[in-house]
């Protein structure tokens, strides 16, 4: 579930192992590039944390962030 935290949408994901986490990140990277909206994220082994906000709107949450969050949710559900 996404949470609003410090003017960002935040979510932590946990996978079975590093390979699953990295595959998820690759799918998100392709979707983010297509949307021209790139997340801040970290990865440590099987955990991925993502923060979304719109830099050119003053680092606040916008419709672009909500749209990308829904796309990421669909990637996880697939």
């Amino acid at each position: 579930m996404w949470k609003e935290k410090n003017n960002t949408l935040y979510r932590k994901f946990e996978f079975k192992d590093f390979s699953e986490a990295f595959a998820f990140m690759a799918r998100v990277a392709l979707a983010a590039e297509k949307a021209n909206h790139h997340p801040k994220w970290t990865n440590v082994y099987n955990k991925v944390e993502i923060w979304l906000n719109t830099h050119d709107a003053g680092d606040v949450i916008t419709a672009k962030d909500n749209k990308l969050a829904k796309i990421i949710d669909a990637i996880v559900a697939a």
Side-chain angles (χ1 to χ4, degrees):
M1 175 87 15
W2 292 94
K3 298 177 185 175
E4 288 193 26
K5 188 175 182 178
N6 299 324
N7 291 322
T8 66
L9 289 179
Y10 168 81
R11 185 166 175 192
K12 184 176 184 178
F13 301 87
E14 190 166 333
F15 300 92
K16 183 179 83 175
D17 55 27
F18 178 75
S19 293
E20 281 190 12
F22 194 83
F24 165 75
M25 291 178 69
R27 291 191 299 271
V28 171
L30 293 172
E33 184 65 16
K34 185 176 180 181
N36 193 30
H37 193 53
H38 306 94
K40 173 184 175 185
W41 58 10
T42 63
N43 166 242
V44 177
Y45 182 57
N46 68 330
K47 294 176 182 66
V48 177
E49 293 181 84
I50 299 177
W51 295 263
L52 300 173
N53 68 9
T54 304
H55 307 294
D56 57 357
D59 292 323
V60 296
I61 300 167
T62 68
K64 289 173 85 172
D65 304 300
N66 287 299
K67 183 177 179 181
L68 186 54
K70 287 181 184 178
I71 291 168
I72 294 168
D73 287 344
I75 290 169
V76 170

